[in-house]
Amino acid sequence: MKRTITLIRHAKSDWGAAGLSDFDRPLNHRGNRDAPLMGSALKEKNSAIDLILASPAKRAFATVHAICNVIEYNPDTIDFRPDLYLAPASDMMGMIQSIDDQYQNIAIVSHNPGLTTLANMLGDRQIDNMPTCSIVILETDISSWQKLKRACATTTDFLYPKQIQ
């Protein structure tokens, strides 16, 4: 049975607001432009996502909502997980392994360096860096999320805003 993991890095955030914590940084103009653009790219891939796990950081929250609007995913069903904020790849892998097997096509919206490390840990293509608002799609033939392990997936797509525009 084919399962798909879509990794999405949050869009470009605004560093200009003095006094804001890293967690509370909003998207900047480019981030607000790129998130729906990448949602359209994801929709073109016919990616019928069953479950989205996302960091609750403001920039990830805004990114996932913009993408959900385009791919017609109900934003009320996003599973915001505080542990995804700046999570290392090993923690994200553990989260995936705990997902109910009823879900076939999942997405994680989070941060670097964890996302790039996870893409390289699972996939068959070396990715030096997932830029802001980039998407990596991984396909695997595992029968259960619990069986997820290193190098068990094929990297089918690596999309980023500068490539799409």
PDB file of all heavy atoms in Angstrom, residues 67-101:
ATOM      1  N   ILE A  67      -2.314  27.489   2.380  1.00  0.00           N
ATOM      2  CA  ILE A  67      -2.267  26.299   1.527  1.00  0.00           C
ATOM      3  C   ILE A  67      -3.589  25.541   1.589  1.00  0.00           C
ATOM      4  O   ILE A  67      -4.115  25.098   0.556  1.00  0.00           O
ATOM      5  CB  ILE A  67      -1.069  25.409   1.901  1.00  0.00           C
ATOM      6  CG1 ILE A  67       0.233  26.099   1.457  1.00  0.00           C
ATOM      7  CG2 ILE A  67      -1.190  24.015   1.286  1.00  0.00           C
ATOM      8  CD1 ILE A  67       1.506  25.417   1.910  1.00  0.00           C
ATOM      9  N   CYS A  68      -4.159  25.406   2.773  1.00  0.00           N
ATOM     10  CA  CYS A  68      -5.447  24.713   2.920  1.00  0.00           C
ATOM     11  C   CYS A  68      -6.548  25.372   2.098  1.00  0.00           C
ATOM     12  O   CYS A  68      -7.401  24.686   1.532  1.00  0.00           O
ATOM     13  CB  CYS A  68      -5.862  24.657   4.386  1.00  0.00           C
ATOM     14  SG  CYS A  68      -4.958  23.428   5.336  1.00  0.00           S
ATOM     15  N   ASN A  69      -6.539  26.702   2.041  1.00  0.00           N
ATOM     16  CA  ASN A  69      -7.541  27.411   1.239  1.00  0.00           C
ATOM     17  C   ASN A  69      -7.474  26.995  -0.222  1.00  0.00           C
ATOM     18  O   ASN A  69      -8.497  26.881  -0.887  1.00  0.00           O
ATOM     19  CB  ASN A  69      -7.363  28.923   1.350  1.00  0.00           C
ATOM     20  CG  ASN A  69      -7.825  29.463   2.684  1.00  0.00           C
ATOM     21  OD1 ASN A  69      -8.627  28.844   3.372  1.00  0.00           O
ATOM     22  ND2 ASN A  69      -7.304  30.615   3.058  1.00  0.00           N
ATOM     23  N   VAL A  70      -6.275  26.761  -0.720  1.00  0.00           N
ATOM     24  CA  VAL A  70      -6.092  26.411  -2.131  1.00  0.00           C
ATOM     25  C   VAL A  70      -6.372  24.932  -2.395  1.00  0.00           C
ATOM     26  O   VAL A  70      -7.020  24.580  -3.375  1.00  0.00           O
ATOM     27  CB  VAL A  70      -4.665  26.778  -2.603  1.00  0.00           C
ATOM     28  CG1 VAL A  70      -4.442  26.337  -4.033  1.00  0.00           C
ATOM     29  CG2 VAL A  70      -4.426  28.274  -2.458  1.00  0.00           C
ATOM     30  N   ILE A  71      -5.908  24.066  -1.518  1.00  0.00           N
ATOM     31  CA  ILE A  71      -6.078  22.620  -1.759  1.00  0.00           C
ATOM     32  C   ILE A  71      -7.422  22.103  -1.244  1.00  0.00           C
ATOM     33  O   ILE A  71      -7.717  20.916  -1.356  1.00  0.00           O
ATOM     34  CB  ILE A  71      -4.920  21.781  -1.180  1.00  0.00           C
ATOM     35  CG1 ILE A  71      -4.891  21.838   0.355  1.00  0.00           C
ATOM     36  CG2 ILE A  71      -3.590  22.204  -1.790  1.00  0.00           C
ATOM     37  CD1 ILE A  71      -3.915  20.846   0.987  1.00  0.00           C
ATOM     38  N   GLU A  72      -8.228  23.013  -0.692  1.00  0.00           N
ATOM     39  CA  GLU A  72      -9.570  22.672  -0.197  1.00  0.00           C
ATOM     40  C   GLU A  72      -9.530  21.627   0.918  1.00  0.00           C
ATOM     41  O   GLU A  72     -10.305  20.683   0.940  1.00  0.00           O
ATOM     42  CB  GLU A  72     -10.467  22.235  -1.362  1.00  0.00           C
ATOM     43  CG  GLU A  72     -10.637  23.346  -2.378  1.00  0.00           C
ATOM     44  CD  GLU A  72     -11.327  22.912  -3.654  1.00  0.00           C
ATOM     45  OE1 GLU A  72     -11.929  21.831  -3.675  1.00  0.00           O
ATOM     46  OE2 GLU A  72     -11.251  23.669  -4.630  1.00  0.00           O
ATOM     47  N   TYR A  73      -8.618  21.845   1.846  1.00  0.00           N
ATOM     48  CA  TYR A  73      -8.506  21.012   3.046  1.00  0.00           C
ATOM     49  C   TYR A  73      -9.132  21.808   4.189  1.00  0.00           C
ATOM     50  O   TYR A  73      -8.832  22.985   4.357  1.00  0.00           O
ATOM     51  CB  TYR A  73      -7.028  20.711   3.332  1.00  0.00           C
ATOM     52  CG  TYR A  73      -6.802  19.826   4.535  1.00  0.00           C
ATOM     53  CD1 TYR A  73      -6.702  18.445   4.388  1.00  0.00           C
ATOM     54  CD2 TYR A  73      -6.689  20.363   5.817  1.00  0.00           C
ATOM     55  CE1 TYR A  73      -6.500  17.619   5.491  1.00  0.00           C
ATOM     56  CE2 TYR A  73      -6.483  19.550   6.923  1.00  0.00           C
ATOM     57  CZ  TYR A  73      -6.385  18.187   6.748  1.00  0.00           C
ATOM     58  OH  TYR A  73      -6.185  17.369   7.847  1.00  0.00           O
ATOM     59  N   ASN A  74      -9.968  21.169   4.974  1.00  0.00           N
ATOM     60  CA  ASN A  74     -10.660  21.850   6.073  1.00  0.00           C
ATOM     61  C   ASN A  74      -9.646  22.266   7.149  1.00  0.00           C
ATOM     62  O   ASN A  74      -9.105  21.412   7.844  1.00  0.00           O
ATOM     63  CB  ASN A  74     -11.718  20.930   6.676  1.00  0.00           C
ATOM     64  CG  ASN A  74     -12.494  21.580   7.802  1.00  0.00           C
ATOM     65  OD1 ASN A  74     -12.193  22.689   8.240  1.00  0.00           O
ATOM     66  ND2 ASN A  74     -13.502  20.885   8.280  1.00  0.00           N
ATOM     67  N   PRO A  75      -9.409  23.568   7.319  1.00  0.00           N
ATOM     68  CA  PRO A  75      -8.408  24.013   8.298  1.00  0.00           C
ATOM     69  C   PRO A  75      -8.774  23.678   9.742  1.00  0.00           C
ATOM     70  O   PRO A  75      -7.907  23.637  10.604  1.00  0.00           O
ATOM     71  CB  PRO A  75      -8.323  25.523   8.073  1.00  0.00           C
ATOM     72  CG  PRO A  75      -9.584  25.898   7.390  1.00  0.00           C
ATOM     73  CD  PRO A  75     -10.041  24.688   6.613  1.00  0.00           C
ATOM     74  N   ASP A  76     -10.047  23.405   9.998  1.00  0.00           N
ATOM     75  CA  ASP A  76     -10.461  23.037  11.351  1.00  0.00           C
ATOM     76  C   ASP A  76      -9.924  21.670  11.766  1.00  0.00           C
ATOM     77  O   ASP A  76      -9.949  21.331  12.945  1.00  0.00           O
ATOM     78  CB  ASP A  76     -11.991  23.031  11.474  1.00  0.00           C
ATOM     79  CG  ASP A  76     -12.579  24.425  11.320  1.00  0.00           C
ATOM     80  OD1 ASP A  76     -11.863  25.420  11.583  1.00  0.00           O
ATOM     81  OD2 ASP A  76     -13.758  24.518  10.923  1.00  0.00           O
ATOM     82  N   THR A  77      -9.468  20.887  10.795  1.00  0.00           N
ATOM     83  CA  THR A  77      -8.965  19.545  11.106  1.00  0.00           C
ATOM     84  C   THR A  77      -7.434  19.470  11.147  1.00  0.00           C
ATOM     85  O   THR A  77      -6.874  18.389  11.308  1.00  0.00           O
ATOM     86  CB  THR A  77      -9.502  18.499  10.102  1.00  0.00           C
ATOM     87  OG1 THR A  77      -9.006  18.796   8.804  1.00  0.00           O
ATOM     88  CG2 THR A  77     -11.029  18.485  10.093  1.00  0.00           C
ATOM     89  N   ILE A  78      -6.768  20.618  11.015  1.00  0.00           N
ATOM     90  CA  ILE A  78      -5.302  20.630  11.135  1.00  0.00           C
ATOM     91  C   ILE A  78      -4.944  20.245  12.569  1.00  0.00           C
ATOM     92  O   ILE A  78      -5.528  20.754  13.529  1.00  0.00           O
ATOM     93  CB  ILE A  78      -4.722  22.023  10.815  1.00  0.00           C
ATOM     94  CG1 ILE A  78      -5.048  22.430   9.382  1.00  0.00           C
ATOM     95  CG2 ILE A  78      -3.199  22.036  11.047  1.00  0.00           C
ATOM     96  CD1 ILE A  78      -4.787  23.903   9.100  1.00  0.00           C
ATOM     97  N   ASP A  79      -3.988  19.349  12.699  1.00  0.00           N
ATOM     98  CA  ASP A  79      -3.520  18.915  14.021  1.00  0.00           C
ATOM     99  C   ASP A  79      -2.283  19.741  14.372  1.00  0.00           C
ATOM    100  O   ASP A  79      -1.179  19.439  13.922  1.00  0.00           O
ATOM    101  CB  ASP A  79      -3.198  17.422  13.981  1.00  0.00           C
ATOM    102  CG  ASP A  79      -2.803  16.853  15.337  1.00  0.00           C
ATOM    103  OD1 ASP A  79      -2.679  17.629  16.309  1.00  0.00           O
ATOM    104  OD2 ASP A  79      -2.607  15.628  15.412  1.00  0.00           O
ATOM    105  N   PHE A  80      -2.490  20.831  15.128  1.00  0.00           N
ATOM    106  CA  PHE A  80      -1.372  21.682  15.539  1.00  0.00           C
ATOM    107  C   PHE A  80      -0.679  21.023  16.723  1.00  0.00           C
ATOM    108  O   PHE A  80      -1.303  20.754  17.743  1.00  0.00           O
ATOM    109  CB  PHE A  80      -1.849  23.092  15.893  1.00  0.00           C
ATOM    110  CG  PHE A  80      -2.234  23.897  14.690  1.00  0.00           C
ATOM    111  CD1 PHE A  80      -3.560  24.037  14.338  1.00  0.00           C
ATOM    112  CD2 PHE A  80      -1.254  24.478  13.908  1.00  0.00           C
ATOM    113  CE1 PHE A  80      -3.913  24.766  13.209  1.00  0.00           C
ATOM    114  CE2 PHE A  80      -1.588  25.208  12.771  1.00  0.00           C
ATOM    115  CZ  PHE A  80      -2.926  25.351  12.427  1.00  0.00           C
ATOM    116  N   ARG A  81       0.614  20.784  16.555  1.00  0.00           N
ATOM    117  CA  ARG A  81       1.390  20.106  17.589  1.00  0.00           C
ATOM    118  C   ARG A  81       2.541  21.004  18.049  1.00  0.00           C
ATOM    119  O   ARG A  81       3.471  21.266  17.281  1.00  0.00           O
ATOM    120  CB  ARG A  81       1.943  18.794  17.051  1.00  0.00           C
ATOM    121  CG  ARG A  81       0.825  17.839  16.666  1.00  0.00           C
ATOM    122  CD  ARG A  81       1.295  16.443  16.676  1.00  0.00           C
ATOM    123  NE  ARG A  81       0.217  15.526  16.344  1.00  0.00           N
ATOM    124  CZ  ARG A  81       0.391  14.229  16.268  1.00  0.00           C
ATOM    125  NH1 ARG A  81       1.583  13.696  16.487  1.00  0.00           N
ATOM    126  NH2 ARG A  81      -0.621  13.449  15.973  1.00  0.00           N
ATOM    127  N   PRO A  82       2.495  21.458  19.292  1.00  0.00           N
ATOM    128  CA  PRO A  82       3.563  22.318  19.803  1.00  0.00           C
ATOM    129  C   PRO A  82       4.952  21.705  19.653  1.00  0.00           C
ATOM    130  O   PRO A  82       5.924  22.437  19.456  1.00  0.00           O
ATOM    131  CB  PRO A  82       3.190  22.499  21.278  1.00  0.00           C
ATOM    132  CG  PRO A  82       1.708  22.311  21.311  1.00  0.00           C
ATOM    133  CD  PRO A  82       1.410  21.269  20.266  1.00  0.00           C
ATOM    134  N   ASP A  83       5.050  20.386  19.702  1.00  0.00           N
ATOM    135  CA  ASP A  83       6.355  19.723  19.563  1.00  0.00           C
ATOM    136  C   ASP A  83       6.952  19.864  18.165  1.00  0.00           C
ATOM    137  O   ASP A  83       8.124  19.553  17.968  1.00  0.00           O
ATOM    138  CB  ASP A  83       6.244  18.236  19.911  1.00  0.00           C
ATOM    139  CG  ASP A  83       6.001  18.017  21.403  1.00  0.00           C
ATOM    140  OD1 ASP A  83       6.061  18.996  22.171  1.00  0.00           O
ATOM    141  OD2 ASP A  83       5.736  16.865  21.782  1.00  0.00           O
ATOM    142  N   LEU A  84       6.163  20.306  17.181  1.00  0.00           N
ATOM    143  CA  LEU A  84       6.701  20.516  15.833  1.00  0.00           C
ATOM    144  C   LEU A  84       7.460  21.834  15.695  1.00  0.00           C
ATOM    145  O   LEU A  84       8.181  22.031  14.734  1.00  0.00           O
ATOM    146  CB  LEU A  84       5.584  20.458  14.780  1.00  0.00           C
ATOM    147  CG  LEU A  84       5.221  19.073  14.304  1.00  0.00           C
ATOM    148  CD1 LEU A  84       3.998  19.116  13.388  1.00  0.00           C
ATOM    149  CD2 LEU A  84       6.392  18.409  13.596  1.00  0.00           C
ATOM    150  N   TYR A  85       7.301  22.727  16.660  1.00  0.00           N
ATOM    151  CA  TYR A  85       8.035  23.996  16.608  1.00  0.00           C
ATOM    152  C   TYR A  85       9.517  23.702  16.782  1.00  0.00           C
ATOM    153  O   TYR A  85       9.950  23.242  17.841  1.00  0.00           O
ATOM    154  CB  TYR A  85       7.527  24.953  17.688  1.00  0.00           C
ATOM    155  CG  TYR A  85       8.322  26.229  17.788  1.00  0.00           C
ATOM    156  CD1 TYR A  85       8.392  27.104  16.710  1.00  0.00           C
ATOM    157  CD2 TYR A  85       9.014  26.546  18.939  1.00  0.00           C
ATOM    158  CE1 TYR A  85       9.130  28.267  16.792  1.00  0.00           C
ATOM    159  CE2 TYR A  85       9.748  27.716  19.037  1.00  0.00           C
ATOM    160  CZ  TYR A  85       9.802  28.571  17.952  1.00  0.00           C
ATOM    161  OH  TYR A  85      10.541  29.723  18.038  1.00  0.00           O
ATOM    162  N   LEU A  86      10.283  23.904  15.725  1.00  0.00           N
ATOM    163  CA  LEU A  86      11.730  23.677  15.675  1.00  0.00           C
ATOM    164  C   LEU A  86      12.126  22.231  16.022  1.00  0.00           C
ATOM    165  O   LEU A  86      13.220  21.982  16.538  1.00  0.00           O
ATOM    166  CB  LEU A  86      12.470  24.674  16.580  1.00  0.00           C
ATOM    167  CG  LEU A  86      12.200  26.156  16.296  1.00  0.00           C
ATOM    168  CD1 LEU A  86      12.947  27.033  17.290  1.00  0.00           C
ATOM    169  CD2 LEU A  86      12.567  26.529  14.874  1.00  0.00           C
ATOM    170  N   ALA A  87      11.257  21.288  15.734  1.00  0.00           N
ATOM    171  CA  ALA A  87      11.497  19.877  16.065  1.00  0.00           C
ATOM    172  C   ALA A  87      12.627  19.285  15.238  1.00  0.00           C
ATOM    173  O   ALA A  87      12.744  19.558  14.045  1.00  0.00           O
ATOM    174  CB  ALA A  87      10.226  19.058  15.826  1.00  0.00           C
ATOM    175  N   PRO A  88      13.451  18.444  15.870  1.00  0.00           N
ATOM    176  CA  PRO A  88      14.460  17.707  15.095  1.00  0.00           C
ATOM    177  C   PRO A  88      13.783  16.604  14.285  1.00  0.00           C
ATOM    178  O   PRO A  88      12.652  16.185  14.578  1.00  0.00           O
ATOM    179  CB  PRO A  88      15.378  17.120  16.170  1.00  0.00           C
ATOM    180  CG  PRO A  88      14.558  17.077  17.411  1.00  0.00           C
ATOM    181  CD  PRO A  88      13.547  18.185  17.297  1.00  0.00           C
ATOM    182  N   ALA A  89      14.481  16.126  13.271  1.00  0.00           N
ATOM    183  CA  ALA A  89      13.942  15.098  12.381  1.00  0.00           C
ATOM    184  C   ALA A  89      13.511  13.845  13.142  1.00  0.00           C
ATOM    185  O   ALA A  89      12.479  13.248  12.830  1.00  0.00           O
ATOM    186  CB  ALA A  89      14.973  14.739  11.313  1.00  0.00           C
ATOM    187  N   SER A  90      14.269  13.459  14.148  1.00  0.00           N
ATOM    188  CA  SER A  90      13.935  12.242  14.892  1.00  0.00           C
ATOM    189  C   SER A  90      12.582  12.377  15.592  1.00  0.00           C
ATOM    190  O   SER A  90      11.803  11.416  15.646  1.00  0.00           O
ATOM    191  CB  SER A  90      15.030  11.912  15.909  1.00  0.00           C
ATOM    192  OG  SER A  90      15.216  12.996  16.809  1.00  0.00           O
ATOM    193  N   ASP A  91      12.266  13.559  16.105  1.00  0.00           N
ATOM    194  CA  ASP A  91      10.967  13.774  16.744  1.00  0.00           C
ATOM    195  C   ASP A  91       9.837  13.720  15.714  1.00  0.00           C
ATOM    196  O   ASP A  91       8.772  13.149  15.966  1.00  0.00           O
ATOM    197  CB  ASP A  91      10.922  15.112  17.474  1.00  0.00           C
ATOM    198  CG  ASP A  91      11.764  15.127  18.742  1.00  0.00           C
ATOM    199  OD1 ASP A  91      12.405  14.097  19.056  1.00  0.00           O
ATOM    200  OD2 ASP A  91      11.785  16.175  19.417  1.00  0.00           O
ATOM    201  N   MET A  92      10.078  14.329  14.545  1.00  0.00           N
ATOM    202  CA  MET A  92       9.055  14.295  13.494  1.00  0.00           C
ATOM    203  C   MET A  92       8.826  12.863  13.015  1.00  0.00           C
ATOM    204  O   MET A  92       7.683  12.462  12.772  1.00  0.00           O
ATOM    205  CB  MET A  92       9.448  15.212  12.333  1.00  0.00           C
ATOM    206  CG  MET A  92       9.294  16.676  12.674  1.00  0.00           C
ATOM    207  SD  MET A  92       9.504  17.742  11.241  1.00  0.00           S
ATOM    208  CE  MET A  92      11.217  18.193  11.432  1.00  0.00           C
ATOM    209  N   MET A  93       9.896  12.114  12.893  1.00  0.00           N
ATOM    210  CA  MET A  93       9.763  10.722  12.479  1.00  0.00           C
ATOM    211  C   MET A  93       8.920   9.949  13.496  1.00  0.00           C
ATOM    212  O   MET A  93       8.041   9.163  13.124  1.00  0.00           O
ATOM    213  CB  MET A  93      11.130  10.076  12.302  1.00  0.00           C
ATOM    214  CG  MET A  93      11.063   8.743  11.618  1.00  0.00           C
ATOM    215  SD  MET A  93      12.685   8.357  10.934  1.00  0.00           S
ATOM    216  CE  MET A  93      12.456   6.646  10.578  1.00  0.00           C
ATOM    217  N   GLY A  94       9.148  10.172  14.770  1.00  0.00           N
ATOM    218  CA  GLY A  94       8.358   9.535  15.810  1.00  0.00           C
ATOM    219  C   GLY A  94       6.886   9.910  15.730  1.00  0.00           C
ATOM    220  O   GLY A  94       6.011   9.068  15.945  1.00  0.00           O
ATOM    221  N   MET A  95       6.608  11.183  15.407  1.00  0.00           N
ATOM    222  CA  MET A  95       5.220  11.613  15.249  1.00  0.00           C
ATOM    223  C   MET A  95       4.558  10.863  14.104  1.00  0.00           C
ATOM    224  O   MET A  95       3.408  10.417  14.216  1.00  0.00           O
ATOM    225  CB  MET A  95       5.147  13.117  14.989  1.00  0.00           C
ATOM    226  CG  MET A  95       5.391  13.961  16.193  1.00  0.00           C
ATOM    227  SD  MET A  95       5.257  15.705  15.741  1.00  0.00           S
ATOM    228  CE  MET A  95       6.229  16.429  17.052  1.00  0.00           C
ATOM    229  N   ILE A  96       5.278  10.743  12.995  1.00  0.00           N
ATOM    230  CA  ILE A  96       4.721  10.028  11.844  1.00  0.00           C
ATOM    231  C   ILE A  96       4.457   8.570  12.197  1.00  0.00           C
ATOM    232  O   ILE A  96       3.405   8.017  11.858  1.00  0.00           O
ATOM    233  CB  ILE A  96       5.661  10.131  10.620  1.00  0.00           C
ATOM    234  CG1 ILE A  96       5.789  11.588  10.166  1.00  0.00           C
ATOM    235  CG2 ILE A  96       5.148   9.252   9.467  1.00  0.00           C
ATOM    236  CD1 ILE A  96       6.883  11.832   9.145  1.00  0.00           C
ATOM    237  N   GLN A  97       5.384   7.950  12.905  1.00  0.00           N
ATOM    238  CA  GLN A  97       5.219   6.541  13.272  1.00  0.00           C
ATOM    239  C   GLN A  97       4.021   6.315  14.190  1.00  0.00           C
ATOM    240  O   GLN A  97       3.520   5.200  14.278  1.00  0.00           O
ATOM    241  CB  GLN A  97       6.499   6.020  13.940  1.00  0.00           C
ATOM    242  CG  GLN A  97       7.641   5.881  12.972  1.00  0.00           C
ATOM    243  CD  GLN A  97       8.979   5.669  13.662  1.00  0.00           C
ATOM    244  OE1 GLN A  97       9.223   6.163  14.763  1.00  0.00           O
ATOM    245  NE2 GLN A  97       9.864   4.938  12.991  1.00  0.00           N
ATOM    246  N   SER A  98       3.536   7.361  14.839  1.00  0.00           N
ATOM    247  CA  SER A  98       2.393   7.222  15.747  1.00  0.00           C
ATOM    248  C   SER A  98       1.050   7.538  15.078  1.00  0.00           C
ATOM    249  O   SER A  98       0.004   7.455  15.724  1.00  0.00           O
ATOM    250  CB  SER A  98       2.586   8.117  16.978  1.00  0.00           C
ATOM    251  OG  SER A  98       2.450   9.477  16.621  1.00  0.00           O
ATOM    252  N   ILE A  99       1.070   7.895  13.800  1.00  0.00           N
ATOM    253  CA  ILE A  99      -0.164   8.251  13.096  1.00  0.00           C
ATOM    254  C   ILE A  99      -1.005   6.998  12.847  1.00  0.00           C
ATOM    255  O   ILE A  99      -0.488   5.934  12.519  1.00  0.00           O
ATOM    256  CB  ILE A  99       0.165   8.967  11.761  1.00  0.00           C
ATOM    257  CG1 ILE A  99       0.754  10.348  12.061  1.00  0.00           C
ATOM    258  CG2 ILE A  99      -1.066   9.083  10.865  1.00  0.00           C
ATOM    259  CD1 ILE A  99       1.269  11.087  10.850  1.00  0.00           C
ATOM    260  N   ASP A 100      -2.296   7.153  12.984  1.00  0.00           N
ATOM    261  CA  ASP A 100      -3.244   6.062  12.732  1.00  0.00           C
ATOM    262  C   ASP A 100      -3.153   5.650  11.265  1.00  0.00           C
ATOM    263  O   ASP A 100      -3.092   6.499  10.367  1.00  0.00           O
ATOM    264  CB  ASP A 100      -4.661   6.542  13.062  1.00  0.00           C
ATOM    265  CG  ASP A 100      -5.673   5.426  13.048  1.00  0.00           C
ATOM    266  OD1 ASP A 100      -5.875   4.797  11.989  1.00  0.00           O
ATOM    267  OD2 ASP A 100      -6.278   5.184  14.106  1.00  0.00           O
ATOM    268  N   ASP A 101      -3.179   4.362  11.024  1.00  0.00           N
ATOM    269  CA  ASP A 101      -3.027   3.841   9.668  1.00  0.00           C
ATOM    270  C   ASP A 101      -4.202   4.124   8.741  1.00  0.00           C
ATOM    271  O   ASP A 101      -4.123   3.849   7.543  1.00  0.00           O
ATOM    272  CB  ASP A 101      -2.736   2.341   9.706  1.00  0.00           C
ATOM    273  CG  ASP A 101      -1.311   2.058  10.167  1.00  0.00           C
ATOM    274  OD1 ASP A 101      -0.433   2.913   9.955  1.00  0.00           O
ATOM    275  OD2 ASP A 101      -1.088   0.975  10.743  1.00  0.00           O
TER     276      ASP A 101
END
